[in-house]
C-alpha cells in the first residue's frame, strides 16, 4: 500500500500565492507539530523540563528550539517544533509539564500558518485587523490573538519592520482567510491598465 | 466655447482642459476642478431639482455638503441616487439629472470595490482649513503620529473660497507649503476627499474616503472606490469650520437664492459668477466680503440689505466707496420669479416690524444669517453645547477627554485666531506647553482683522404676504416651513426633538445642516423661551450620507460570512454534493446522482446506511480534550450523568444542562486515560461547550486541576454506518479486531494506518452498527479514500446531513437546538436515564426539583405519524386537538406543541416527525391534528423511537 | 467602537469581548439546601443598577480569560478592570 499522502487546507492556493509580487508575499507554512500547553506557574522547573523559557509577557512569542513559544493566556502557550512528529512532540511536552500540574495537547492540525512578507503586508493586514501594527508598537516578538477579517487568528510579528508576519488560523477558516488576503492584496497585485 | 458665467481668469480649476458632461440630457462643458454645481452655474443653470412635496424649483444654495437644494442622481457611469451637485466632482462622461427630492436605486449590481482600513494615531485632525492645518503641522513637528482628513478635493478649507493672504502672499500658497511639509513627514496620514462622519467612544472615528469617484469611468477597477477609515486616535482635533446660516423669508427657496459665502467660494475657487445682478441680504459683517468680491468681479450689486438698524458703519463706507447701495434696518421679505429669482422684495425692518416694501431686480439673492460652527462630531461624542446669544449659534460647551474643537468650529471668527487656535489645541492634545518655543512652530501672519459690528440674530422675516409662512422654507429638502413649525407648536409640542419628528425637519439627506439651528430659534421664538432652553436635536452619525456598499466594504459575496470547510471539502465538491449551511460550516446535505432530487437521494442514502454501508463526513463535530487529575470531577459537575465511573477505553453519552436545568448540549465522552477525556459536542455547540467549561473552571472552580483544549479541527471524523460497516473497517484496519466481543458498542480503540495514528469508536447516531474513524486532517483525504475503496464491494454510499437527520430521528435521537429550544429538560426528552441520582450535585440538578419541572403538562418529545401516510409535516407546524365533540375549540385554538423534526422514512415507508407535545408521553396512541396548508392533518402520537426500538441493530 | 482593557492584553475593541452578567454571584455551596425561592434568586435574579455595576467579561476573541469590571451602565465607561482573584474594589 502506498504511504498516506498529506494534504494541506491551503493546497489549492499554492499557485496563486506563488504568483504574488514581493510587496505582498503570502506563503502557506509547512506542516508543523504544535502543542497547546497549559501550566499554572512558570518557573525554573518548567524551563528546565521544557528546555524553553515560556514567555510570561502577554502577547509575545519567543524562539523555542526549532519552533516558537507563543503566549496565548496567563496559563496557556502554543509550542511548535519543526523537527518532531506531532505525537512525539505532544508526548515530550506532556511528560515535561505533567509533573508540574500542566497539560499538553496536540493541536498540530487545528491551525495553519500563513506567512506574510513584504513592504505592503502591513497595509493588507490593516484592512481587517484592529491591532496597531506600527513597528514601534508591534515589533518582532509581538503576538496577538485577535480577529482578521472575520476569522480569529494568532498574529506574530517576525520582524522589526512590519514586513514579516505569521498568521495562524483555524484550518477550517484557512480558505476564507486566503481568499480574504488575496482580495485585500488586490490593490497591490494588479498592474493598473487603462483598457478604455 | 466658454461658459457664459465663467470668469476670464482665476480660480483653482484647470482651464487648459475641458470636461464634457450631461445634465438632464443637455451636453455641457466644464473644467477639471469643477464640481457639478460650479459647472452648472458657469453655464447659467441654477435650478437643478424640484422639491419633494410641492414640486417647487430648487437650485444650488450653498457650495458644499450643507446645500439643501441641489439633489441630483448620477446616471453614468454607474447609477447613484441622492447626491448633491455641490459635492460631485466633475469628470468626463458624467451624466446626471436633477431629482424630485428622492432618487432611484440602481437596478444593476455595483461592481466597484469598497474596503476599510484601520489606522492608529496620536492626533487625528478633522478638517484641513487654517485651524486644522495649523494643528496638523504642530502635531507632526512634535514627531507624533498624525492623521489629517478633509472632505474636499484639496486642502485649505475656507481659504479656497477667499482671496485671503498670509505672510503677504495668497493664503493658498501657505496651504500648499503646509501640505508639502506634511507629505514629507513620516507617520503623517493626510487624506483629502475624506469625510469624518462619526466620532465614537475612545477616540474612534469613522471616515469615508472617496478614492476614485472623481475619476468616473477611468477609475481603476482594482482600487476601492470608497474606503472607510477606522481611525483610533488618542486625541481628536475637530477643525470642521462653520456653516453659514440662511434667514427664512417668503419664497426663500427660489433658485438664485444662495448663501453669501457660497457665492464667494464659487467665485474664488471655481471662477464662476453665480449671477449678473445681486442683492445681498445680511445680518452680519461677513456678507459684505461677498458683495465687494462679486462687485470687483463684475457683478452689479444692486443693494446690500442689512437687517441691523445701523448696519456696519465701516463696511457701509467700503461699499459706498464702490458705489454699492447699503440699506440698513431693512430685510428681504420675499422673492419674485418663476424658475429663477427676478426680484428681491425689500422692506424696512424696525423692532421686528416689516414696513412697506419694494422690488429690486436681481438674478442672484445672497443671504447670510450668521454662522453655525460645525459642532457635529463634538456633539456626537456627547459634548454639551452652549448657546451664544451674540452669535446666535451653538458652541462647544465643555471640555471633553480626547476631543478638542478648534477654529471656527469653536466660534473663532477670524483667520489669525483660527491659526492660533489650531496650534493651541494641538499642543494641548500632545500635552506640551501652550506657548511654542521652537522657531519652526511659527504661524503665518494674517492681516489684522476688521473690528466687527455685532451681528443681529434673526431667524425669520415676518411673512407680509398673508401666507403665514407657508412658503417660508426652513428645511428645503423636506419642504417644511415656518407654518409647519407653528402648527407643531400649536399642537402642543415643546421639545425640539418632538418638533423635528412632527415636521420632519432635519431628517432629510442634509440632516438639517442649515435648518437645525433655525428651527431651534423659531421654536424658541414661538414659545417665547430662550433658545438655550430649546437646545438642538441630537447630532448623530453619519455627518453626511454613507452608502451601504461602503459600510459593507469587502464583506460581500463570498467574503460576506466565512465559509468553514472540512479537509474533505474538495472531495465533496467533486462528488457533486449539495451543501447546507450549519452555522458557518459548509456541510454536504446529500449527494444526488444524475436525475435525483433531494428526496430520492436521501431515500437512497438512508437505505444504504440501514441495509449496507454508508459513510459521513462528521468532522464538524465539536471535540474538546479535557486533561488533568480532576478531569473526571469537572465532567461529573457539568454532565447530568456520571462520567467518573467511565472506564478507560469506553464511551458514554452525556447531557449537559444550564443552571436552570434546561438541556444546552449533548454528546459522547471518550475516556482516554484516568486523567484524560475526549468530549464530543454537537457541531453548533463546539465553541459554546468549550466556553462553558472554561467559564466554570475560571470563575467558580479555579482549584480544579483540569485543562480544556479545543481539538475540533485536530481530528476528522468519519462515521462508517450500517450492517456492512464492520467489513469495511475491518478491511482498512486489519490490526484491529472489530468483532463485538473484542470491540463492543460504546468503546474505542487506537490503531495506526501506515504509521499514522487512527482512533476508532463504536458510536452510533443511527442505531446501526457503526464505527467512527478519527484521524488527523492532514491524512483525511487519504483515509477517506481507503475507506471508500474498501467499501466499494459493499456499495459504500457517502451520505449527507439530511440522511444523518433522518436516521437519527427514526431512532428518536434529538438534535439540541432543533428538537429543543432552551426550555426542555432531559426528562422532557425522555432521558431521565441520563440523569444521575447518585451525584450530590451537578449543574442543573437543583432546578429539576422546581415544581414546574414536575408539571404533567410539560412538553415531551414524542413521535408523530401522519395517518394518511403521505404528508410530510412542515417543521415548526403547530399541533392542535379536537374537542370530544369532534370540533375545534373556539379561537384562539390552544396549541399543544409543535413539530420539531420531520422527514420521509425509507425504513418506515412513510413520513414521520418528532414533536414537543404537552403531556406527550401520556398521549401516545391518541390522534391529534396539525394544520398544513389550510387543512388539518390527523397524526398519531407515538413514542419517539420509531425504528428498532429494541436496539438490536447496533451490534450488526 | 469602545475599547475594553483586558487585564492581560490591554485595550482591545469591544467586539473581542463577551458579557457575563453581574459579578460576584457565586454558585451556592449547597444548592440542595436552598429553598425554591433562594435557588430561583441565584438562577434568575440579577441587579440592574443605573451607574456603577460590577460585571463579568470575557476576552473571548483574544486570550479567553474571564475578568471583572466596574462599569457605569449610564455612560458605558469602564472605571476599572480586575482579575477574578482580586477583591471587589470598594467604590465611593
Ligand atoms: Zn486578553
Amino acid at each position: 500500500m502506498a504511504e498516506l499522502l498529506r494534504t494541506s487546507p491551503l493546497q489549492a492556493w499554492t499557485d496563486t500565492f506563488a504568483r504574488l509580487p514581493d510587496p505582498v508575499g503570502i506563503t502557506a507554512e509547512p506542516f508543523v507539530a504544535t502543542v497547546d500547553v497549559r501550566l499554572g506557574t512558570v518557573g525554573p522547573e518548567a524551563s528546565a523540563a521544557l528546555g524553553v523559557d515560556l514567555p510570561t509577557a502577554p502577547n509575545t512569542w519567543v524562539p523555542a528550539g526549532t519552533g516558537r513559544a507563543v503566549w496565548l493566556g496567563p496559563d496557556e502557550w502554543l509550542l511548535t517544533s519543526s523537527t518532531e512528529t506531532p505525537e512525539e512532540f505532544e508526548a515530550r511536552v506532556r511528560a515535561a509539564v505533567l509533573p508540574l500540574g500542566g497539560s499538553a495537547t496536540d493541536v498540530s492540525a487545528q491551525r495553519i500558518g500563513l506567512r506574510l512578507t513584504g513592504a505592503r503586508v502591513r497595509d493588507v493586514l490593516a484592512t481587517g485587523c484592529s491591532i496597531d501594527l506600527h513597528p514601534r508598537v508591534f515589533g518582532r516578538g509581538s503576538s496577538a490573538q485577535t480577529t482578521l477579517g472575520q476569522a480569529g487568528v494568532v498574529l506574530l510579528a517576525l520582524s522589526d519592520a512590519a514586513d514579516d508576519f505569521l498568521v495562524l488560523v483555524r484550518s477550517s477558516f484557512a480558505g476564507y482567510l486566503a481568499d480574504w488576503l488575496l482580495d485585500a492584496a488586490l490593490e497591490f497585485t494588479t498592474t493598473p491598465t487603462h483598457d478604455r | 466655447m466658454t461658459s457664459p458665467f465663467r470668469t476670464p481668469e482665476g480660480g483653482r480649476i484647470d482651464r487648459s482642459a475641458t470636461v464634457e458632461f450631461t445634465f438632464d440630457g443637455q451636453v455641457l462643458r466644464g473644467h477639471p476642478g469643477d464640481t457639478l454645481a460650479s459647472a452648472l452655474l458657469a453655464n447659467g443653470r441654477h435650478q437643478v431639482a424640484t422639491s419633494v412635496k410641492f414640486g417647487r424649483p430648487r437650485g444650488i444654495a450653498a457650495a458644499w455638503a450643507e446645500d439643501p437644494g441641489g439633489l441630483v442622481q448620477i446616471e453614468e457611469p454607474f447609477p447613484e441616487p441622492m447626491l448633491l451637485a455641490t459635492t460631485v466632482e466633475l469628470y468626463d462622461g458624467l451624466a446626471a439629472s436633477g431629482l424630485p427630492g428622492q432618487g432611484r436605486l440602481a437596478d444593476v449590481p455595483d461592481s466597484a470595490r469598497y474596503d476599510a482600513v484601520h489606522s492608529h494615531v496620536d492626533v487625528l485632525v478633522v478638517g484641513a482649513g487654517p485651524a486644522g492645518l495649523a494643528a496638523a503641522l504642530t502635531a507632526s513637528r512634535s514627531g507624533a503620529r498624525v492623521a489629517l482628513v478633509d472632505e474636499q478635493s484639496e486642502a485649505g478649507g475656507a481659504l479656497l473660497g477667499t482671496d485671503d493672504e498670509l505672510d503677504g502672499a495668497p493664503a493658498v500658497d501657505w496651504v500648499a507649503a503646509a501640505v508639502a511639509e506634511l507629505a514629507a513627514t513620516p507617520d503623517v496620514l493626510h487624506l483629502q476627499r475624506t469625510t469624518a462622519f462619526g466620532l465614537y467612544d475612545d477616540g474612534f472615528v469613522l471616515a469615508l474616503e472617496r478614492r476614485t469617484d472623481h475619476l468616473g469611468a477611468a477609475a481603476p477597477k482594482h482600487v476601492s472606490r470608497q474606503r472607510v477609515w477606522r481611525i483610533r486616535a488618542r486625541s481628536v482635533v475637530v477643525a470642521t469650520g462653520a456653516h453659514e446660516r440662511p434667514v427664512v423669508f417668503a419664497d426663500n427657496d427660489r433658485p438664485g437664492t444662495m448663501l453669501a459665502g457660497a457665492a464667494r467660494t464659487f467665485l474664488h475657487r471655481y471662477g464662476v459668477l453665480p449671477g449678473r445682478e445681486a442683492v445681498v441680504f445680511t445680518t452680519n459683517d461677513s456678507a459684505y466680503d461677498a458683495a465687494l468680491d462679486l462687485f470687483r468681479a463684475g457683478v452689479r450689486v444692486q443693494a446690500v440689505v442689512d437687517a441691523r438698524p445701523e448696519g456696519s458703519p465701516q463696511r457701509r463706507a467700503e461699499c459706498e466707496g464702490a458705489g454699492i447701495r447699503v440699506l440698513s434696518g431693512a430685510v428681504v421679505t420675499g422673492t419674485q420669479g418663476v424658475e429663477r429669482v427676478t426680484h428681491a422684495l425689500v422692506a424696512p425692518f424696525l423692532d421686528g416690524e416689516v414696513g412697506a416694501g419694494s422690488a429690486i431686480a436681481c438674478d442672484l439673492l445672497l443671504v447670510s444669517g450668521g454662522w453655525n460652527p460645525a459642532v457635529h462630531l463634538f456633539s456626537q461624542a456627547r459634548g454639551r453645547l452652549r448657546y451664544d446669544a451674540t452669535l446666535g449659534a451653538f458652541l462647544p460647551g465643555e471640555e471633553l477627554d480626547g476631543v478638542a474643537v478648534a477654529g471656527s468650529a469653536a466660534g473663532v471668527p477670524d483667520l489669525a485666531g483660527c491659526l492660533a487656535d489650531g496650534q493651541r489645541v494641538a499642543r494641548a492634545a500632545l500635552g506640551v506647553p501652550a506657548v511654542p518655543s521652537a522657531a519652526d512652530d511659527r504661524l503665518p501672519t494674517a492681516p489684522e482683522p476688521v473690528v466687527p459690528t455685532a451681528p443681529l440674530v434673526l431667524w425669520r422675516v415676518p411673512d407680509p404676504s398673508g401666507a403665514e409662512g407657508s412658503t417660508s422654507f426652513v428645511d428645503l429638502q423636506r419642504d417644511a416651513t415656518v407654518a409647519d413649525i407653528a402648527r407643531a407648536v400649536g399642537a402642543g409640542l415643546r421639545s425640539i426633538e418632538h418638533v423635528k419628528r412632527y415636521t420632519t425637519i432635519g431628517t432629510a439627506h442634509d440632516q438639517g445642516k442649515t435648518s437645525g439651528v433655525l428651527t431651534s430659534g423659531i421654536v424658541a421664538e414661538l414659545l417665547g423661551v430662550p433658545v438655550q432652553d430649546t437646545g438642538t436635536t441630537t447630532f448623530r452619525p453619519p455627518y453626511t450620507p454613507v452608502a451601504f456598499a461602503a459600510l459593507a466594504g469587502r464583506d460581500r459575496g463570498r467574503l460576506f460570512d466565512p465559509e468553514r470547510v472540512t479537509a474533505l471539502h474538495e472531495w465533496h465538491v467533486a462528488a457533486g454534493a449539495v451543501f447546507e449551511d450549519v452555522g458557518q460550516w459548509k456541510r454536504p446535505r446529500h449527494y444526488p446522482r444524475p436525475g435525483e432530487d433531494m428526496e430520492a437521494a436521501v431515500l437512497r442514502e438512508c437505505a444504504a446506511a440501514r441495509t449496507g454501508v454508508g459513510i459521513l463526513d462528521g468532522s464538524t463535530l465539536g471535540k474538546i480534550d479535557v486533561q488533568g487529575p480532576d478531569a473526571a470531577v469537572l465532567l461529573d459537575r457539568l454532565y447530568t450523568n456520571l462520567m467518573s465511573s467511565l472506564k478507560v477505553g469506553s464511551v458514554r453519552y452525556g447531557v449537559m444542562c444550564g443552571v436552570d436545568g434546561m438541556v444546552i448540549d449533548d454528546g459522547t465522552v471518550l475516556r482516554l486515560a484516568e486523567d484524560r477525556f475526549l468530549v464530543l459536542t454537537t457541531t453548533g455547540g463546539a465553541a459554546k461547550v468549550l466556553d462553558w467549561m472554561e467559564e466554570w473552571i475560571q470563575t467558580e472552580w479555579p482549584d480544579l486541576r483540569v485543562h480544556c483544549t479545543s481539538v475540533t479541527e485536530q481530528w476528522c471524523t468519519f462515521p462508517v454506518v450500517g450492517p456492512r460497516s464492520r467489513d469495511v473497517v475491518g478491511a482498512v484496519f486489519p490490526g484491529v479486531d472489530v468483532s463485538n466481543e473484542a470491540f463492543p458498542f460504546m468503546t474505542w480503540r487506537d490503531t495506526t494506518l501506515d504509521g499514522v495514528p487512527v482512533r476508532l469508536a463504536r458510536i452510533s447516531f443511527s442505531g446501526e452498527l457503526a464505527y467512527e474513524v478519527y484521524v488527523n486532517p492532514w491524512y483525511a483525504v487519504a483515509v477517506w479514500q481507503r475507506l471508500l475503496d474498501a467499501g466499494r464491494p459493499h456499495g459504500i454510499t457517502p451520505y449527507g446531513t439530511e440522511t444523518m437527520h433522518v436516521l437519527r430521528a427514526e431512532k428518536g435521537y434529538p438534535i439540541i437546538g432543533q428538537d429543543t429550544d432552551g426550555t426542555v429538560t432531559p426528562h422532557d426528552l425522555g432521558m431521565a436515564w441520563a440523569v444521575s441520582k447518585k451525584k450530590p450535585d451537578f449543574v442543573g440538578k437543583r432546578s429539576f426539583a422546581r415544581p414546574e419541572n414536575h408539571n404533567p403538562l410539560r412538553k415531551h418529545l414524542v413521535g408523530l405519524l401522519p395517518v394518511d401516510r403521505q404528508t410530510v409535516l412542515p417543521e415548526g407546524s403547530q399541533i392542535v386537538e379536537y374537542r370530544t365533540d369532534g370540533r375545534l375549540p373556539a379561537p384562539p385554538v390552544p396549541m399543544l406543541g409543535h413539530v420539531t423534526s420531520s422527514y420521509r422514512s425509507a425504513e418506515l415507508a412513510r413520513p414521520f416527525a418528532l414533536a414537543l407535545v404537552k403531556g406527550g408521553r401520556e398521549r401516545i396512541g391518541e390522534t391529534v391534528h396539525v394544520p398544513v396548508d389550510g387543512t388539518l392533518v390527523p397524526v398519531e402520537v407515538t413514542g419517539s423511537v420509531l425504528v428498532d426500538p429494541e436496539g438490536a441493530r447496533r451490534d450488526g | 467602537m469602545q475599547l475594553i482593557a483586558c487585564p492581560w492584553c490591554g485595550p482591545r475593541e469591544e467586539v473581542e469581548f463577551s458579557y457575563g452578567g453581574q459579578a460576584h454571584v457565586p454558585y451556592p455551596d449547597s444548592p440542595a439546601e436552598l429553598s425554591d425561592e433562594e435557588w430561583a434568586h441565584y438562577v434568575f435574579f440579577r441587579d440592574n443598577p443605573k451607574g456603577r455595576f460590577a460585571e463579568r467579561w470575557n476576552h473571548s476573541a483574544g486570550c479567553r480569560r474571564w475578568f471583572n469590571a466596574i462599569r457605569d451602565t449610564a455612560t458605558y465607561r469602564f472605571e476599572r478592570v480586575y482579575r477574578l482573584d482580586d477583591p471587589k474594589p470598594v467604590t465611593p
Side-chain angles (χ1 to χ4, degrees), chain C residues 43-79:
Chain C
V43 176
F44 299 115
F45 286 62
R46 293 294 182 272
D47 296 341
N48 183 25
K50 178 179 179 182
R52 287 199 182 89
F53 193 34
E55 302 171 331
R56 306 187 317 151
W57 285 84
N58 183 236
H59 189 191
S60 42
C63 65
R64 303 194 302 126
R65 295 312 116 166
W66 283 91
F67 58 93
N68 290 334
I70 305 290
R71 188 180 65 104
D72 189 315
T73 59
T75 63
Y76 306 157
R77 195 163 296 280
F78 280 75
E79 299 192 353

Side-chain angles (χ1 to χ4, degrees), chain A residues 1-2 7 90 94 104-105 107-110 126-127 130 132 134 150 170-172 179-180 183 187, chain B residues 113 116 118 120 145 187 211 554 558-560 564-565 627 676 694 708 710 712-714 754 778-779 786:
Chain A
M1 244 181 203
T7 46
E90 185 198 74
R94 193 163 144 80
T105 309
V107 291
S108 306
Q110 274 282 99
T127 63
S130 65
D132 187 355
H134 193 285
Q150 297 179 64
R170 292 281 283 259
S171 301
S172 61
D179 285 343
W180 185 92
D183 184 72
E187 187 161 329
Chain B
R113 285 175 64 78
H118 294 261
H120 299 258
R145 292 165 71 185
D187 286 329
R211 304 182 74 202
R554 298 197 295 119
R558 279 204 62 198
L559 300 180
F560 173 68
R564 298 180 72 181
V565 298
Q627 273 185 58
R676 192 171 191 182
E694 278 291 345
C708 304
S710 170
T712 296
E713 294 173 52
Q714 178 61 25
D754 296 355
W778 296 350
Y779 305 97
R786 293 277 180 97

Side-chain angles (χ1 to χ4, degrees), chain A residues 157-174:
Chain A
L158 304 189
S159 85
D160 274 328
D163 59 358
D164 193 354
F165 297 93
L166 181 62
V167 180
L168 302 176
V169 64
R170 292 281 283 259
S171 301
S172 61
F173 284 97

Side-chain angles (χ1 to χ4, degrees), chain B residues 579-848:
Chain B
F579 288 91
E580 163 178 53
D581 290 340
V582 182
Q584 290 176 316
W585 289 101
K586 287 281 172 202
R587 298 195 67 181
R589 190 173 189 186
H590 57 104
Y591 300 85
R593 288 182 177 164
E596 276 185 342
D597 59 7
M598 183 168 95
E599 188 173 304
V602 169
L603 288 172
R604 172 178 54 75
E605 291 174 9
C606 285
R610 291 249 183 257
T611 62
V613 57
I615 185 169
L616 173 78
D617 180 4
S619 304
T620 61
L621 271 187
K623 304 166 202 83
I624 302 166
D625 184 291
V626 181
Q627 273 185 58
D630 293 327
V633 178
L634 174 74
L635 298 184
D636 272 353
R637 289 184 189 179
L638 292 180
Y639 280 97
T640 61
N641 45 348
L642 202 59
M643 288 298 174
S644 52
S645 63
L646 184 63
K647 290 189 174 54
V648 173
S650 287
V651 181
R652 186 166 290 168
Y653 173 79
V655 176
M656 209 176 252
C657 291
V659 288
D660 59 0
M662 303 303 159
V663 177
I664 56 173
D665 206 66
D666 71 344
T668 46
V669 176
L670 284 66
R671 189 162 204 166
L672 306 182
E674 276 306 311
D675 62 349
R676 192 171 191 182
F677 294 81
L678 179 64
V679 169
L680 305 178
T681 75
T682 58
T683 295
K688 196 174 62 185
V689 172
L690 179 66
D691 290 347
W692 182 243
M693 290 178 167
E694 278 291 345
E695 179 178 343
W696 284 97
I697 295 171
Q698 289 185 36
T699 67
E700 288 290 345
W701 307 321
D703 297 337
L704 284 190
R705 296 160 303 163
V706 59
H707 296 296
C708 304
T709 307
S710 170
V711 286
T712 296
E713 294 173 52
Q714 178 61 25
W715 295 97
C716 275
T717 312
F718 311 141
V720 182
V721 176
R724 299 266 71 85
S725 59
R726 179 171 286 136
D727 301 327
V728 178
V729 172
V732 176
F733 306 101
V736 179
D737 181 348
V738 291
S739 68
N740 269 326
E741 296 68 35
F743 192 169
F745 183 60
M746 293 304 255
T747 62
W748 60 269
R749 302 286 181 262
D750 273 354
T751 183
T752 58
L753 186 62
D754 296 355
V756 173
V758 172
R759 179 167 295 150
L760 304 175
R762 283 280 311 275
I763 299 170
S764 179
F765 198 38
S766 58
E768 299 298 328
L769 175 70
Y771 297 79
E772 293 188 346
V773 179
Y774 291 79
V775 66
N776 179 320
W778 296 350
Y779 305 97
V781 174
V783 171
W784 175 265
Q785 198 57 53
R786 293 277 180 97
L787 291 163
L788 290 181
D789 293 345
R792 195 162 298 121
H794 309 286
I796 194 167
T797 302
Y799 67 87
T801 50
E802 193 68 16
T803 291
M804 178 192 81
H805 276 286
V806 178
L807 297 175
R808 65 87 197 170
E810 288 173 341
K811 286 291 293 179
Y813 297 149
I815 296 275
I816 306 307
Q818 173 168 339
D819 298 295
T820 70
D821 61 2
T823 66
V824 179
T825 67
H827 311 85
D828 298 337
L829 294 174
M831 288 185 179
W833 55 268
V835 179
S836 167
K837 295 190 178 58
K838 289 187 203 147
K839 291 192 285 184
D841 192 30
F842 55 83
V843 172
K845 180 181 170 80
R846 175 64 185 81
S847 287
F848 295 152

